[in-house]
Amino acid sequence: GVATPGMPFWFRPEFVRGIDFQYPIEPVRRAIAKATDEGANAIVLTGHMGLKTRTGGDDFANNVMALTSEFPETAVFIAGHTHQAIPSRMTNGVLLTQADHFGIHAGRVDLVFDRNSKRLLHREAHCELMDNRFHFDHVVISRAKSQLAESEAALAQPIGELAETLRARSQPAHPSDVEKLIGASILESLRGSGVPVDGAMHGVFDEETDVAAGPKTVRDIWNIIPYENYLVTAELSSDEIKMIMEEVYASHEGRNLLGFEMKTEGRGGERRITSMTLANGRPLDRARKYSVAFNTFDSRSGGHRFMKLRALLERPEVNCTLHPLQTRDALIDYFRRHKLVDKIAGAPQLAVAA
């Protein structure tokens, strides 16, 4: 199996120290040669990589086309990462299959060999949707019973109450209610740890689902922030902040900068920032540096989306600092501290809660 070479564009160097995520062609060549020398009758290659969802080709993180073109003797390539259901597809003479993601489908590959010659006669693959036709395996569930109960108890912990429903969908320079809440929790948590910070860039993972008013549990926050991310801060000039946010707007990725107010003109890749102030309306000082927080995923380019941001944060003069605080924990702790949380009226400069 091969890992995606895209890892360094998601993870901070601190998280992958001592691990080299190589372009996979030569490592796979060596592995196939070793397996063949040891008498393998068929080569099945697995990889945390798939086909690009729109074009079906390769990119910085997915090298399926390159691998199947270079090694057409491979019988099967079991793909992943791109969250697609591809039951069976011939790609450069290799049988490709991918069973979607999160266990939504189960995949099966069948290889038929001649018993005498050991020659591969037939190969096929398919994916099965794991719907209500299938029940949990009682052996697995019984063995995991205590861990599942512990997880359920942790997720069910009450943490506070949301006073009114929060809108999830945002627009460039117009953060959603959910983004404002996440930003307020990040700023408050960092400041509470003695870290001076002026703003935080963040987005939401689900713009289609508003966050309903009412009592909240740890599970609700997992639904808002489903992935683990630590926080970094960097010291940036107003021109650098402007460059970062215009790159974000051009990417069409849903992120906003909390703690600042911005006005823009244009659309898509042509959107430009025309004015930028602090949340209290004070103009930015071009001679001053401002401390801005990012989650670790975005700080490493957000998967090749924010390459200018990545390059900027690698420069020593911005003092990019990793903090032992996760974004999800910041939001959970925010509810626990304030108990009743109101909608945040503007870009959060100070924490706002009832």
Side-chain angles (χ1 to χ4, degrees):
V2 291
T4 169
M7 291 292 193
F9 296 93
W10 300 309
F11 293 111
R12 297 277 309 165
E14 296 90 336
F15 301 155
V16 294
R17 189 170 286 122
I19 305 173
D20 182 17
F21 295 98
Q22 301 176 9
Y23 186 70
I25 294 294
E26 293 310 315
V28 167
R29 192 187 311 282
R30 293 192 296 270
I32 289 178
K34 185 174 185 294
T36 301
D37 289 344
E38 293 177 354
N41 300 119
I43 300 297
V44 175
L45 184 58
T46 64
H48 190 84
M49 58 182 68
L51 299 174
K52 291 177 67 175
T53 52
R54 288 189 291 273
T55 65
D58 287 353
D59 61 13
F60 76 101
N62 301 287
N63 312 125
V64 171
M65 297 301 292
L67 285 166
T68 53
S69 177
E70 187 72 19
F71 307 109
E73 69 273 24
T74 301
V76 183
F77 191 111
I78 301 175
H81 180 62
T82 55
H83 294 198
Q84 300 179 84
I86 304 176
S88 180
R89 169 177 168 171
M90 295 305 295
T91 303
N92 292 323
V94 178
L95 176 63
L96 174 77
T97 184
Q98 181 175 339
D100 210 337
H101 67 295
F102 296 165
I104 295 170
H105 291 79
R108 172 170 171 164
V109 174
D110 290 293
L111 302 179
V112 179
F113 295 88
D114 181 277
R115 289 182 179 273
N116 296 319
S117 68
K118 311 298 185 184
R119 186 170 63 88
L120 179 63
L121 301 177
H122 180 71
R123 51 186 170 166
E124 64 180 54
H126 69 276
C127 296
E128 193 72 56
L129 178 65
M130 293 292 101
D131 55 18
N132 58 12
R133 296 171 297 160
F134 301 94
H135 303 288
F136 290 124
D137 186 286
H138 73 278
V139 174
V140 172
I141 296 300
S142 65
R143 292 191 175 184
K145 185 176 181 180
S146 62
Q147 291 90 345
L148 291 170
E150 183 180 359
S151 174
E152 180 59 34
L155 291 171
Q157 291 178 56
I159 57 172
E161 184 173 352
L162 185 61
E164 53 187 308
T165 295
L166 301 185
R167 175 180 51 86
R169 184 169 292 280
S170 67
Q171 296 293 331
H174 298 284
S176 69
D177 299 329
V178 179
E179 285 175 329
K180 292 175 185 176
L181 176 61
I182 294 171
S185 70
I186 289 172
L187 297 181
E188 184 174 287
S189 291
L190 286 170
R191 290 167 180 165
S193 300
V195 179
V197 61
D198 299 294
M201 189 183 90
H202 213 281
V204 297
F205 294 94
D206 180 5
E207 285 200 330
E208 302 301 321
T209 306
D210 293 341
V211 180
K216 295 301 167 191
T217 65
V218 171
R219 177 182 279 106
D220 293 309
I221 308 306
W222 273 77
N223 290 332
I224 297 172
I225 304 179
Y227 300 108
E228 284 71 27
N229 268 296
Y230 285 90
L231 290 168
V232 302
T233 54
E235 306 299 319
L236 304 170
S237 69
S238 59
D239 287 342
E240 289 166 339
I241 293 171
K242 181 175 182 289
M243 179 193 73
I244 290 167
M245 294 313 300
E246 287 182 345
E247 177 183 45
V248 169
Y249 299 151
S251 74
H252 302 288
E253 289 292 317
R255 307 284 196 282
N256 273 296
L257 183 60
L258 297 309
F260 295 79
E261 293 282 356
M262 296 186 182
K263 293 181 180 179
T264 68
E265 63 181 15
R267 299 174 62 85
E270 301 302 316
R271 185 179 294 275
R272 296 292 180 264
I273 295 171
T274 57
S275 70
M276 186 165 54
T277 68
L278 292 171
N280 59 11
R282 185 183 304 162
L284 299 190
D285 182 351
R286 296 190 69 178
R288 186 193 152 187
K289 296 282 189 175
Y290 296 89
S291 178
V292 179
F294 304 89
N295 68 42
T296 45
F297 175 73
D298 286 345
S299 78
R300 296 304 291 167
S301 78
H304 238 248
R305 296 174 179 89
F306 312 133
M307 295 299 288
K308 291 180 182 178
L309 171 61
R310 173 192 169 97
L312 180 62
L313 297 190
E314 288 181 336
R315 287 162 46 184
E317 61 267 27
V318 307
N319 191 30
C320 185
T321 303
L322 176 67
H323 301 281
L325 174 67
Q326 290 198 22
T327 52
R328 187 193 300 125
D329 291 342
L331 187 52
I332 290 171
D333 291 343
Y334 188 90
F335 271 90
R336 284 176 169 160
R337 281 192 299 270
H338 296 287
K339 308 301 182 187
L340 180 63
V341 174
D342 285 320
K343 181 186 293 186
I344 295 174
Q349 181 191 24
L350 298 173
V352 179

